[in-house]
Amino acid sequence: MPEILLGEYLFLRLKHLGIETVFGVPGDFELALLDLIEPLGLSWVGAPNELVGAYAVDGYARLNGVGALVTTFGPGELSALCGLGGSYSEFVPVLHIVGYPTTPAQKSGKILHHRLGDGKFDHYQRISSELCCATTVLDDPTTVAAEIDRVLTAMMFHSKPGYIGISEDIAYAKMSREYLDAEITRFLPSSARESEALALAEIISQLESAKAPILIVDGGAARVSWADHADPLIQALKIPFLVTGLGKGIADETSPYYQGCYVGKGSGIFTEKLDHCTIIDLQRFSVKIGETKHDARINHVLPKLTSAFSSHPPLAQLPIEPFLEVNRSLTLPASNKIEHDWLWPRLSSYLRPGDLVITEIGTAQVGVTATRLPSGCNGWTQSVYGSRGYAAGAAAGAAIAAEEAGKSKRLVLVTGEGSLQLTVQAFSMLTRYGIVPVVFVLNNCGYTIERYFRGWNAKYNDVPMWDYTALFKASAPDVEPKVRGCKVTTAAELDELLSDEMFWDATVPQCVGMIMDPKDAPEAMRTAFGVKNACRLWLNIHYYAVIFYDSGQTKGLNFQEA
């Protein structure tokens, strides 16, 4: 049987899972490992730093279903952990590959750079174990295949990051190619048929007896293994549905059954009213109906539920009222300022089917709930973990995944000036790898989002002023055709820009700096002003996948309140 290098085995396993691009930052302990990537048919995308790389692979994995990041031992891997924290908390399977010193060097006890100076090499693995579902440091060539497969299997099963440390000498040791014949499943296997059948029968019974059934699509439904089931389910059930802030970009918001974005009493703060009626909660490993939990899994229950209701009479017994967006009028504000109440509905008419929309945490994250996405528009924001600066890197990774899938889309990135300053290096990734984004920067004149909650005039809430329109030119001075940047200070200027065909087509990278009133905010944030713990604004619903809710009322949930 032909032999392969152990490092080759690792990367071939990634190809089996559907990974085509590996992200990372080169470092001394991983350089030999990186030499194996492109000869195996994988692409390498270098990040300007490990944090941006971690955000980028997170965006790639959300669209592709799985991703891989390579860093060096010590400082390199620690720099990536903030990004991997988001992947862990929001169920994104990312493999973190770390280049280690050689096994003889580790056993020698000698002082090496990148260590903590105490002779131990397991600190970083133990730190990463808190943010990964499985970890291993490969030190025995005879067990490498089994260890790699164990970590990858756990990563895909739990939809969480995994960690593999590998040194140069291990990576270049040889093994039999026959180990590649073993299968690693990419999708969640089915659960016990009896439990699944029981859960399905009870769901059908509950829905049939519900007085006013409503479907809520939350962020957990965004994973590749079941995201495609959301719209067919809605069409089969023919009942009103809502999305949460985490669920934007999953279901078709042009559907006649769409009823808006559910944020509790506008301000969130755990004001959802879902505890007084029947709830059917579909999760990755279980289905909970009321207080009864079944050993059934969403990716197998959803398609069967869709099939069961495909020829079923409509569940909704009352006419469905068309969704009327709050502040939907596109009339320019009387002030001619770029006000949030006008901006977010205006973006609805700018976006088009197939767009990939990535939204930064904070103001943009809240504001986009008032933007109705066109059919086929894909996008997300990082709500649970909320790591500022996430969106710029994630946009780069997501765009690369879309290109690989043959679904190259117009990339629209909406971010804030404070967040962008943390990860502006990601712009160099966009231009370097041929990505053509449209970037909207919410510039509220040097204030952070925290000013809404405390310290309006405090210096710690100040942000340095930048010329955001010049960022693409600075990061890609030699790009042809030239990048575009523009600064808009009035609603009329922005409205004209959004209607311009050249801007609409986005044939070159474009960055729009929008000057906003520092004291203006999206309606949901204004509602929260002065409220204790208002920073919990966008954590209004637990991390559900899909839930059914029987309101038992003549009208169900609406945009503002349950």
Side-chain angles (χ1 to χ4, degrees):
M1 177 66 68
E3 292 185 319
I4 59 172
L5 301 180
L6 299 184
E8 290 178 325
Y9 179 83
L10 172 58
F11 290 121
L12 287 172
R13 276 313 206 191
L14 299 187
K15 289 187 69 175
H16 289 174
L17 290 176
I19 294 174
E20 296 183 30
T21 296
V22 176
F23 296 81
V25 179
D28 48 1
F29 292 137
E30 60 175 297
L31 296 178
L33 187 65
L34 299 186
D35 287 337
L36 303 176
I37 293 176
E38 292 188 334
L40 295 174
L42 292 164
S43 298
W44 163 258
V45 169
N49 60 53
E50 290 84 0
L51 177 60
V52 170
Y55 290 154
V57 74
D58 181 285
Y60 177 92
R62 290 184 192 233
L63 206 62
N64 180 63
V66 60
L69 173 74
V70 186
T71 69
T72 196
F73 172 80
E77 59 180 306
L78 292 185
S79 296
L81 284 185
C82 181
L84 292 174
S87 301
Y88 182 86
S89 63
E90 300 195 9
F91 298 93
V92 183
V94 170
L95 180 65
H96 188 189
I97 303 170
V98 179
Y100 265 65
T102 63
T103 48
Q106 293 181 55
K107 295 176 180 179
S108 69
K110 295 179 179 178
I111 297 177
L112 295 175
H113 61 295
H114 295 343
R115 287 172 58 190
L116 296 181
D118 59 0
K120 298 179 181 179
F121 284 86
D122 63 344
H123 289 296
Y124 307 128
Q125 181 190 7
R126 288 191 289 109
I127 293 171
S128 289
S129 68
E130 295 292 330
L131 300 177
C132 295
C133 64
T135 71
T136 188
V137 176
L138 306 174
D139 56 9
D140 182 354
T142 65
T143 62
V144 162
E147 280 295 282
I148 290 175
D149 289 0
R150 176 183 66 82
V151 172
L152 294 180
T153 298
M155 182 180 75
M156 300 309 297
F157 183 77
H158 294 284
S159 196
K160 298 272 191 177
Y163 176 103
I164 293 179
I166 181 170
S167 61
E168 178 180 349
D169 57 315
I170 292 294
Y172 278 75
K174 293 184 177 181
M175 62 182 291
S176 173
R177 194 180 183 88
E178 65 179 347
Y179 289 101
L180 289 171
D181 294 336
E183 291 292 329
I184 297 181
T185 179
R186 178 182 167 99
F187 299 115
L188 189 65
S190 61
S191 49
R193 291 186 178 182
E194 297 79 8
S195 297
E196 190 177 285
L198 182 62
L200 190 62
E202 189 171 347
I203 291 173
I204 294 173
S205 175
Q206 290 283 353
L207 289 175
E208 288 177 332
S209 62
K211 295 179 181 179
I214 293 172
L215 171 66
I216 299 179
V217 181
D218 199 14
R223 298 302 156 256
V224 170
S225 55
W226 56 75
D228 290 342
H229 297 309
D231 284 330
L233 178 66
I234 292 165
Q235 290 299 319
L237 293 174
K238 297 180 176 63
I239 62 175
F241 79 93
L242 301 100
V243 298
T244 67
L246 287 75
K248 293 285 287 185
I250 301 173
D252 185 358
E253 296 181 12
T254 65
S255 166
Y257 305 107
Y258 179 63
Q259 298 292 294
C261 187
Y262 180 51
V263 291
K265 289 186 177 180
S267 62
I269 318 177
F270 306 107
T271 55
E272 71 277 8
K273 294 183 179 179
L274 302 177
D275 56 354
H276 63 289
C277 293
T278 303
I279 296 177
I280 303 171
D281 176 15
L282 282 76
Q283 294 285 348
R284 182 174 185 82
F285 294 115
S286 65
V287 172
K288 188 176 181 181
I289 305 172
E291 296 301 318
T292 304
K293 182 178 287 189
H294 297 271
D295 179 20
R297 294 168 184 171
I298 185 174
N299 63 322
H300 294 276
V301 171
L302 280 187
K304 292 180 181 178
L305 187 60
T306 299
S307 178
F309 277 97
S310 292
S311 57
H312 196 283
L315 290 175
Q317 301 301 312
L318 298 170
I320 297 175
E321 298 181 6
F323 169 61
L324 298 177
E325 292 187 61
V326 176
N327 299 314
R328 186 65 185 92
S329 173
L330 297 182
T331 303
L332 292 175
S335 66
N336 202 21
K337 293 181 179 180
I338 305 175
E339 298 176 357
H340 286 276
D341 287 351
W342 172 83
L343 170 63
W344 300 105
R346 178 63 180 90
L347 284 179
S348 298
S349 57
Y350 167 73
L351 298 174
R352 63 191 185 193
D355 280 352
L356 180 59
V357 183
I358 310 299
T359 310
E360 184 56 80
I361 73 162
T363 305
Q365 184 179 72
V366 179
V368 78
T369 61
T371 300
R372 191 170 189 175
L373 302 181
S375 178
C377 199
N378 195 356
W380 62 83
T381 182
Q382 190 197 66
S383 295
V384 176
Y385 190 60
S387 181
R388 186 174 299 166
Y390 163 82
I400 290 171
E403 180 71 28
E404 289 179 358
K407 299 178 181 178
S408 182
K409 304 176 180 181
R410 183 177 65 167
L411 173 63
V412 179
L413 168 62
V414 186
T415 186
E417 85 271 39
S419 297
L420 184 57
Q421 289 188 17
L422 293 174
T423 52
V424 68
Q425 304 95 327
F427 273 25
S428 63
M429 290 183 70
L430 295 169
T431 52
R432 181 182 183 186
Y433 294 102
I435 301 168
V436 181
V438 180
V439 181
F440 294 97
V441 181
L442 307 179
N443 187 347
N444 44 23
C445 304
Y447 286 93
T448 68
I449 186 176
E450 280 74 20
R451 74 189 188 282
Y452 294 121
F453 310 127
R454 187 177 180 87
W456 185 269
N457 296 315
K459 290 184 178 180
Y460 55 70
N461 279 331
D462 292 345
V463 175
M465 292 295 290
W466 286 11
D467 181 0
Y468 298 96
T469 64
L471 291 178
F472 272 128
K473 184 177 180 180
S475 62
D478 300 323
V479 169
E480 293 291 345
K482 293 296 184 181
V483 297
R484 294 180 64 195
C486 54
K487 178 181 179 181
V488 291
T489 59
T490 67
E493 291 175 345
L494 180 58
D495 186 66
E496 181 180 0
L497 179 66
L498 295 179
S499 303
D500 181 80
E501 291 186 6
M502 183 178 296
F503 179 77
W504 187 287
D505 288 339
T507 57
V508 298
Q510 301 178 102
C511 183
V512 182
M514 301 183 294
I515 303 301
M516 315 284 289
D517 183 344
K519 295 189 177 181
D520 187 27
E523 182 177 9
M525 292 186 67
R526 296 200 305 270
T527 307
F529 285 176
V531 178
K532 186 177 180 181
N533 292 331
C535 58
R536 293 181 178 179
L537 174 64
W538 39 87
L539 299 181
N540 51 72
I541 287 187
H542 309 294
Y543 196 71
Y544 292 119
V546 177
I547 59 176
F548 297 102
Y549 170 88
D550 181 13
S551 68
Q553 304 167 4
T554 57
K555 290 186 179 180
L557 302 174
N558 57 45
F559 184 85
Q560 288 296 329
E561 183 174 359

